[in-house]
């Protein structure tokens, strides 16, 4: 007798749980869809999104503003920056001639951007970069800036 | 009466006043430091366990010839209490294991063994825990220099 | 998966390292007698990345990005803890506004961590729908936090002496809209899951841990509070602005899977309260202390700091010799201790319960392995 009662109670409470769960699910069926169909639509990126770093183009000079002070190179935890400067004119600061960075080891921490005294660095908003080998992740940011045109 | 006030005279009496240093909690984060001889470790830990403490963690600091083992004990109640037990001894000397008294010591001791090569006498299962079983080095010792033989390449961190 | 047969009935089963229910690369070596577990050995270390070693060969600031990578679900909490630890050692005063901002962000991070756990746990137990709802809510938090930190998981947001960016309007509006939304969702979760008879049968009375056992194994966090010990470092050793805030520490009594679940769900509500209060009182002012040197040099000595991470007692211990690089950097991660109790509570249970128990402990493997 007892077992029968327990069995019936289990059946009933199981059905009740199911009905309650279904009611929640049904309610959400008529709510707007929250899935974003990724390759076809993209999520809006926040203003401050931290993509990989790049040199900023300054409107006045039409070029980068890195003076090759080496601050970013010193602070980078992963040691992935290599910057070389050249004194072009005696009374002007140095100017970077190449700026290599290995993106594959960059942790996107942003310390280099913060530390730069010239605000020469910025985060890009690109997150879909591909390469064919690990060496394509080593990029000269100055050459890249120049190749992007004025 | 806080637990700290209760336990301080007990520890001072049994393990020596000169071994007990009060610490500034607001700065160092713990109340007491007890420098201890390794033979008396199990005695102390038995006492602490009776008193309702739990083992927060075990770690070590490599000081050249000497390895300092640090045991941190805390309590689950208010006001907070934290005791640091410091066992300093030459490298290579085994220390009695606490795994038989406090179970949490089991993994903590394995980690110290893994990282520093410190042996714990009487540990039921002293194997490497985080590194792979065939590793032949103890990475947190100061004379350890990571090289290509430890996997991966070495980033040259030239900096001032 | 079968390794070798011991006797006629007992054999070894490798659960993991690649198993959907182990949440990463955890390897449980189970000795079974049919469906019943005789012995369990958790094997960890598959994602060891030498964070402690890295901490000892770079400066304090350079180690900061590492902290959010230890526990990828509570990255902001870890950032926060690390900054608090170093600030305490150096005696850096943090501006009032920055302290509020950090707390708001850390609590949002705690909610997102619990939400992910909730979804993943229910999925382990075979319920797929709650996972989708939880991820929907979590997505909101990630978007809100992304607005100020610029990142979704590895935040690196706190700095010594403050935070690196002030809150913006999007963040404030987003959080204001999010709080009532999650409150409504939590109600739905209650109907959907907490009262569900299948869920109750699978979690009630399973994996029971007594308070005494918990102390022996040094459990902390929600796992400990489920055993009836109201130990929360936000109250026990208050830091930041927690003493000024009103919130409760949810505790349960039985210490089984259901109670661990219940404590986390209740904690989310408390975290919402904290966020609401802190945002309501957000003071004006700078968000970063002036004059914090880039190469920070704590005075020689050793320092410990305790923080309540989403999973329990996070302890940071470092020894400074007065230089730019710490002599020793130790992290006591909560999951490390929480996981070790498995070898005690699993024997005697069934394989199906293993998943329920393992999930309810809420481990994050990279945090164990460091
Ligand atoms: S973002 Fe961080 S890791 Fe990457 S280059 Fe800059 S400092 Fe180095
Ligand atoms: S810190 Fe700025 S100016 Fe200095 S080298 Fe780096 S990018 Fe150039």
């Amino acid at each position: 007798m007892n077992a029968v009662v327990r069995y019936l109670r289990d059946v009933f409470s199981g059905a009740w749980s199911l009905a309650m769960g279904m009611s929640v699910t049904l309610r959400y069926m008529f709510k707007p869809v929250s899935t974003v169909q990724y390759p076809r639509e993209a999520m809006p990126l926040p203003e401050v999104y931290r993509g990989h770093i790049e040199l900023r183009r300054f409107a006045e000079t039409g070029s980068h503003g890195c003076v090759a002070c080496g601050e970013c190179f010193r602070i980078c935890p992963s040691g992935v920056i290599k910057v070389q400067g050249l004194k072009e004119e005696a009374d002007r600061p140095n100017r970077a001639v190449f700026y290599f960075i290995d993106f594959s080891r960059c942790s996107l921490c942003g310390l280099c951007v913060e530390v730069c005294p010239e605000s020469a660095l910025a985060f890009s908003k690109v997150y879909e970069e591909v390469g064919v080998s690990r060496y394509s992740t080593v990029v000269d940011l100055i050459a890249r800036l120049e190749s992007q045109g004025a | 009466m806080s637990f700290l006030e209760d336990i301080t005279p007990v520890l001072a009496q049994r393990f020596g006043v000169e071994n007990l240093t009060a610490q500034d909690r607001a700065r160092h984060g713990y109340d007491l430091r007890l420098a201890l001889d390794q033979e008396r470790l199990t005695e102390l830990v038995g006492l602490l366990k009776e008193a309702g403490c739990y083992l927060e963690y075990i770690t070590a600091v490599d000081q050249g010839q000497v390895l300092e083992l640090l045991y941190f004990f805390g309590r689950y109640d208010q006001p907070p209490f934290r005791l640091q037990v410091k066992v300093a001894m030459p490298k290579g000397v085994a220390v009695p294991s606490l795994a038989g008294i406090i179970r949490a010591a089991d993994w903590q001791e394995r980690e110290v063994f893994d990282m520093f090569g410190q042996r714990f006498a009487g540990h039921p299962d002293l194997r490497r825990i985080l590194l792979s079983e065939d590793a032949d080095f103890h990475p947190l010792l100061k004379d350890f220099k990571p090289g290509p033989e430890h996997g991966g390449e070495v980033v040259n961190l030239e900096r001032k | 998966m079968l390794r070798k047969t011991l006797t006629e009935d007992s054999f070894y089963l490798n659960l993991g390292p690649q198993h959907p229910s182990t949440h990463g690369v955890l390897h449980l070596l189970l000795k079974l007698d049919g469906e019943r577990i005789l012995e369990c050995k958790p094997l960890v270390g598959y994602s060891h990345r030498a964070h402690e070693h890295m901490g000892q060969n770079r400066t304090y600031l350079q180690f900061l990005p590492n902290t959010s990578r230890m526990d990828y679900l509570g990255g902001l909490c870890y950032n926060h803890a690390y900054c608090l630890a170093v600030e305490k050692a150096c005696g850096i005063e943090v501006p009032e506004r920055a302290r509020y901002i950090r707390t708001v962000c850390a609590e949002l991070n705690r909610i997102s961590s619990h939400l992910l756990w909730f979804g993943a746990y229910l999925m382990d137990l075979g319920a797929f729908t709650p996972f989708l709802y939880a991820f929907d809510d979590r997505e909101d938090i990630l978007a809100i936090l992304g607005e100020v930190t610029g990142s979704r998981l590895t935040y690196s947001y706190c700095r010594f002496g403050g935070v690196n960016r002030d809150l913006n309007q999007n963040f404030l509006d987003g959080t204001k809209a999010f709080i009532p939304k999650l409150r409504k969702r939590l109600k739905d979760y209650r109907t959907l899951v907490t009262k569900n008879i299948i869920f109750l049968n699978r979690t009630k009375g399973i994996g029971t841990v007594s308070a005494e056992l918990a102390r022996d194994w040094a459990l902390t966090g929600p796992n400990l509070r489920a055993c009836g010990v109201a130990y929360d470092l936000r109250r026990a050793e208050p830091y930041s602005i927690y003493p000024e805030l009103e919130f409760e520490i949810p505790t349960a009594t039985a210490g089984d899977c259901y109670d661990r679940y219940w404590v986390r769900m209740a904690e989310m509500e408390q975290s919402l309260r904290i966020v609401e209060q802190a945002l309501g009182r957000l003071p004006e002012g700078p968000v970063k202390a002036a004059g914090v040197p880039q190469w920070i040099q704590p005075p020689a000595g050793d320092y410990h700091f305790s923080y309540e991470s989403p999973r329990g007692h996070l302890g940071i211990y470092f020894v400074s010799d007065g230089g730019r690089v710490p002599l020793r950097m130790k992290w006591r991660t909560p999951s490390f201790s929480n996981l070790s109790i498995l070898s005690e509570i699993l024997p005697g249970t069934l394989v199906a319960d293993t998943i329920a128990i393992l999930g309810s402990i809420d481990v994050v493997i990279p945090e164990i392995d460091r």
Side-chain angles (χ1 to χ4, degrees), chain C residues 126-161:
Chain C
F128 187 64
T129 336
F131 178 77
L132 300 175
Y133 293 142
F135 265 63
D136 188 19
D137 288 341
R138 181 166 173 268
E139 184 57 43
D140 283 350
I141 300 185
L142 295 189
I144 291 171
L145 288 177
E147 284 292 338
V148 290
T149 63
S151 173
R152 286 163 59 89
L153 276 182
T154 50
Y155 301 101
S156 307
Y157 179 49
C158 303
R159 290 290 182 277
F160 305 133

Side-chain angles (χ1 to χ4, degrees), chain A residues 53 72 75-78 80-81 101 105-113 123:
Chain A
I53 57 164
C72 52
I75 202 154
C76 177
S78 325
V80 302
I81 298 175
I101 166 165
R105 296 209 305 258
C106 166
S107 55
L108 305 178
C109 64
L111 294 181
C112 50
V113 178
F123 296 114

